[in-house]
Amino acid sequence: MERTLREILAQAGEKLLASGLGPIEIEIPKEEGFGDLSTPVAMGLAKALKKPPRKIAEEFVKLIDNKNIFSKVEIAGPGFINFTFTRDFLSDELKRLITERDLFLTENVGKGRRVQIEFVSANPTGPLHLGHGRGAAVGAALANLLKETGFNIEKEFYVNDAGRQVRLLGLSVFAKYMASCGIDYPFPEDGYHGDYVDGLAAEFKEVHGDSFADKQFDEASENFIDFAYKKMLALIKKDLEDFGVIFDTWQSERDLYSNGDVVQAIDDLRVRGYIFEHEGATWFRSTEFGDDKDRVIIKKDGEYTYFAPDIAYHRNKILRGFEELVDIWGADHHGYIPRMQAVIQALGLPPESLRVLLVQLVNLLKGGQPVQMSKRAGEFITLREVMDDIGPDTTKFLFLTRRSDSHLDVDIEVAKAQSSENPVFYVQYAHARINSIFEKATETDGYVAGSQKSGDFDGALYNDEEMRLVKKLLLYPMVLRGAALTHEPHRITFYMQELAGLFHPYYHKYKVITGDVQLTKARLALCEAIKIVLHHGLKVLGVNAPDKM
RNA sequence: GCGCCUGUAGCUCAGAUGGAUAGAGCAACUGCCUUCUAAGCAGUAGGUCGCAGGUUCGAGUCCUGCCAGGCGUACCA
């Protein structure tokens, strides 16, 4: 529907102005009286053409072809052009939706462009918490969105298996292990305190006995670090799998060092003239690209800062051939965006090659009271706990009903209590109900199972409520496209709720299966179309579309 | 101090690239199950879009200042 209008308007635009108008804005009017779709294009041209908007709108309307698909083209308000489609056109579109299915719902805007989405990338030093879960839900949904709109997507988890944090984990486990061997060993000041650390120490002892009891940490560090972070990584992987989030690749930070990527990346920047030495340290001149200050990448003591492997990692992504990089970070890392953007530009790429999506941390409440979370003290609610309590579908939906950069309060008590009246069930229920109708229809004489898929029905039989549903369905491709281009999966969530919100009252008011064969066929077709769209939307969100509930 | 994000109904949040009379869910109250699923439906309410200016045909949306909350501002990760 919107696609057709977009083409028609573009043609008219070329006639109006030889240079064309560029992308023409198409809106969904707030009121039904304003037509099915609308464009404010004339108002935007008023200044350039030095004519009143309504006058421009009139001229524009004259240039529009294919008028037969509109039942009304109206100039309204300050200069809106409102389009109302004919029933025949809408009915044909619905038939296409039913027969072409996903092909009709999706539009190839990506044209196979290679995009990598890196998300979660939690340190393998403990279980995933709720914030990671939110990142996982958003990243997976975004990946689905972009896949459905023609992008070539790879999902990657960056494993911070080098550096201070995993070392600290190893040391924490070492201390607990020593204690369990009856040896007094000081627990590291910034060590990890969670129960899982005790678990790791116990497991280690089970495997190795007390054969390490006479060792210093420096002698045994690799044993402990490797053992601990690999266990944690396996746990993270399992949590994500159970959450329904599967990664294509897992990139190890250690490999960046052993491959020589880190050294090469710095050499590369040096050749390009963005590296300098100052007070014994090696710096990256990020101010060249708008960062507040230059950044150290090799410290006075010869150690790399965390920034060095990050540079190498992003360079590595580019060398792998990705045309666009999406990083999903916790909002507390927003301060790193300028320096990462500087890296991208220093490597010769346009700044828009890297898009950083910030996911706000999740604020956890328990019965209205904030729960203090501290990873170091081992006090935090894990994704696992919430997922086990309210289920992966509800958890994901919850994370996806809000813009990713908005603060999110999750009251764990409320989330549990509301598990049966959560919006996700509202949407899933619509899907299940339609399936139930189909089951009933196949039992009824005259309706062969799946016959509604042929698109053989008479759209003229639809009443107002049904036409409203038809139009809503035909807007889905536009919503999907918009959500993909803006990287905003929550738009799909809202659309899903709106669609279900039209279907349930309709279901309640009208019987689909009636004595009238033609009417029944038409209604089954409409239900089929709704089911197709619900299924597609839920798939994008990573949520199940159950046939029974 | 400086930078980024947020401020919309009692609560949680949408609001599309600057468009027409600012929306939904939850919570509250009242009704509806011999019917294709009551995880549903129908009805009832709520607003100085943080405050003050500005830009223009038009501002919740853009700009400036202020207020409030969060985060960041390391040769930590």
Side-chain angles (χ1 to χ4, degrees):
Chain A
M1 183 162 77
E2 179 257 354
R3 231 167 343 204
T4 309
L5 181 64
R6 208 193 309 150
E7 284 164 20
I8 290 172
L9 291 184
Q11 285 168 14
E14 277 173 30
K15 288 190 215 163
L16 187 72
L17 262 150
S19 55
L21 299 178
I24 293 176
E25 187 178 350
I26 294 175
E27 298 170 349
I28 302 165
K30 285 179 186 167
E31 295 218 11
E32 287 188 18
F34 296 145
D36 299 329
L37 287 173
S38 165
T39 180
V41 65
M43 291 181 283
L45 290 172
K47 195 173 273 180
L49 299 181
K50 297 199 170 105
K51 286 183 199 169
R54 290 189 68 111
K55 179 93 179 149
I56 296 169
E58 276 172 38
E59 288 173 21
F60 195 81
V61 168
K62 279 184 197 149
L63 297 172
I64 292 173
D65 295 325
N66 297 63
K67 285 222 179 65
N68 56 320
I69 67 168
F70 304 114
S71 62
K72 192 159 74 172
V73 178
E74 194 177 35
I75 297 162
F80 290 97
I81 308 173
N82 297 335
F83 300 90
T84 309
F85 295 94
T86 63
R87 283 178 87 90
D88 280 353
F89 174 76
L90 295 173
S91 174
D92 286 349
E93 287 277 282
L94 187 68
K95 281 178 190 172
R96 283 186 57 202
L97 192 165
I98 293 165
T99 51
E100 296 172 19
R101 309 184 134 239
D102 285 12
L103 227 87
F104 181 84
L105 302 181
T106 58
E107 186 179 339
N108 186 359
V109 288
K111 307 244 190 303
R113 192 173 161 79
R114 286 195 67 199
V115 180
Q116 191 225 40
I117 305 182
E118 182 222 324
F119 59 113
V120 186
S121 299
N123 281 335
T125 54
L128 296 174
H129 56 66
L130 269 191
H132 296 131
R134 190 178 187 186
V138 170
L142 180 61
N144 290 336
L145 260 179
L146 294 178
K147 264 184 207 167
E148 291 299 312
T149 46
F151 291 88
N152 186 355
I153 298 297
E154 192 170 308
K155 292 174 281 182
E156 184 156 296
F157 187 116
Y158 179 52
V159 183
N160 293 104
D161 52 8
R164 194 179 131 81
Q165 295 308 313
V166 283
R167 185 178 172 82
L168 208 49
L169 175 72
L171 183 55
S172 303
V173 172
F174 181 73
K176 295 277 188 186
Y177 168 82
M178 293 308 267
S180 75
C181 295
I183 298 164
D184 202 25
Y185 191 90
F187 195 80
E189 200 177 324
D190 302 326
Y192 290 92
H193 284 85
D195 290 343
Y196 64 91
V197 179
D198 299 273
L200 287 170
E203 281 183 64
F204 189 92
K205 196 174 180 188
E206 223 167 82
V207 176
H208 299 283
D210 53 9
S211 57
F212 284 85
D214 58 344
K215 297 262 196 306
Q216 292 300 307
F217 182 63
D218 282 346
E219 304 171 68
S221 64
E222 285 310 310
N223 296 282
F224 281 88
I225 293 170
D226 276 23
F227 181 87
Y229 97 75
K230 282 179 181 164
K231 288 271 183 197
M232 284 299 114
L233 195 58
L235 186 77
I236 287 171
K237 229 175 221 180
K238 181 77 168 69
D239 283 357
L240 287 169
E241 260 179 52
D242 292 347
F243 195 47
V245 176
I246 309 292
F247 284 85
D248 300 310
T249 47
W250 298 70
Q251 173 63 48
S252 150
E253 182 184 358
R254 287 187 177 191
D255 287 353
L256 295 176
Y257 284 105
S258 56
N259 288 346
D261 277 5
V262 175
V263 173
Q264 281 173 30
I266 295 170
D267 283 350
D268 189 348
L269 289 177
R270 196 187 304 276
V271 169
R272 291 169 190 268
Y274 300 114
I275 299 291
F276 64 97
E277 315 291 327
H278 179 64
E279 293 179 349
T282 302
W283 298 66
F284 168 57
R285 199 184 298 284
S286 55
T287 50
E288 191 80 21
F289 303 98
D291 194 11
D292 292 343
K293 53 184 90 163
D294 294 326
R295 307 292 172 176
V296 171
I297 49 183
I298 304 176
K299 298 187 262 180
K300 262 196 288 231
D301 63 8
E303 293 275 314
Y304 290 108
T305 64
Y306 74 93
F307 189 40
D310 278 353
I311 293 172
Y313 180 38
H314 282 79
R315 178 170 171 277
N316 167 293
K317 294 185 191 188
I318 292 161
L319 292 179
R320 280 194 272 160
F322 293 108
E323 297 164 83
E324 187 181 329
L325 307 177
V326 177
D327 284 7
I328 299 182
W329 294 350
D332 54 336
H333 288 72
H334 67 81
Y336 305 114
I337 294 176
R339 75 189 71 166
M340 225 42 249
Q341 288 288 5
V343 169
I344 293 298
Q345 292 173 66
L347 292 171
L349 278 89
E352 59 274 16
S353 311
L354 170 67
R355 289 177 69 170
V356 179
L357 206 63
L358 293 178
V359 175
Q360 269 294 348
L361 306 182
V362 178
N363 235 337
L364 201 74
L365 307 172
K366 207 163 188 169
Q369 293 301 310
V371 177
Q372 289 305 321
M373 287 198 277
S374 154
K375 203 166 185 176
R376 258 177 47 196
E379 289 168 11
F380 54 90
I381 304 284
T382 62
L383 173 63
R384 168 64 62 186
E385 286 174 71
V386 175
M387 194 160 73
D388 288 350
D389 270 346
I390 63 178
D393 281 351
T394 307
T395 311
K396 275 189 248 187
F397 205 85
L398 192 68
F399 288 143
L400 294 169
T401 43
R402 283 152 178 92
R403 277 179 34 190
S404 62
D405 62 351
S406 74
H407 295 83
L408 173 60
D409 288 347
V410 172
D411 192 314
I412 192 67
E413 299 293 331
V414 174
K416 272 191 230 177
Q418 284 186 353
S419 61
S420 63
E421 50 196 68
N422 191 288
V424 67
F425 296 112
Y426 187 76
V427 175
Q428 289 180 320
Y429 191 47
H431 187 268
R433 266 185 156 170
I434 289 171
N435 192 64
S436 177
I437 295 171
F438 289 167
E439 279 184 9
K440 175 83 176 180
T442 55
E443 293 166 7
T444 311
D445 286 347
Y447 307 110
V448 183
S451 67
Q452 65 278 4
K453 289 174 188 162
S454 67
D456 169 27
F457 64 92
D458 182 2
L461 297 173
Y462 287 139
N463 61 33
D464 287 351
E465 279 111 320
E466 285 160 338
M467 288 312 295
R468 203 169 293 139
L469 272 160
V470 170
K471 288 173 187 174
K472 187 73 183 174
L473 291 170
L474 296 179
L475 287 174
Y476 180 77
M478 181 181 175
V479 174
L480 185 76
R481 180 172 179 268
L485 291 178
T486 55
H487 293 186
E488 291 182 349
H490 76 274
R491 293 192 192 188
I492 301 295
T493 319
F494 278 85
Y495 174 89
M496 287 290 115
Q497 294 184 76
E498 287 162 12
L499 179 57
L502 287 177
F503 171 72
H504 286 303
Y506 169 70
Y507 172 91
H508 188 258
K509 192 167 171 186
Y510 299 99
K511 299 286 282 185
V512 170
I513 300 164
T514 66
D516 183 333
V517 177
Q518 288 309 314
L519 183 62
T520 303
K521 275 180 138 181
R523 289 185 171 171
L524 283 173
L526 177 60
C527 288
E528 175 68 20
I530 296 168
K531 190 179 173 184
I532 291 168
V533 172
L534 285 174
H535 187 89
H536 191 269
L538 288 172
K539 188 177 76 184
V540 166
L541 298 176
V543 174
N544 285 303
D547 284 339
K548 282 201 186 328
M549 284 176 76

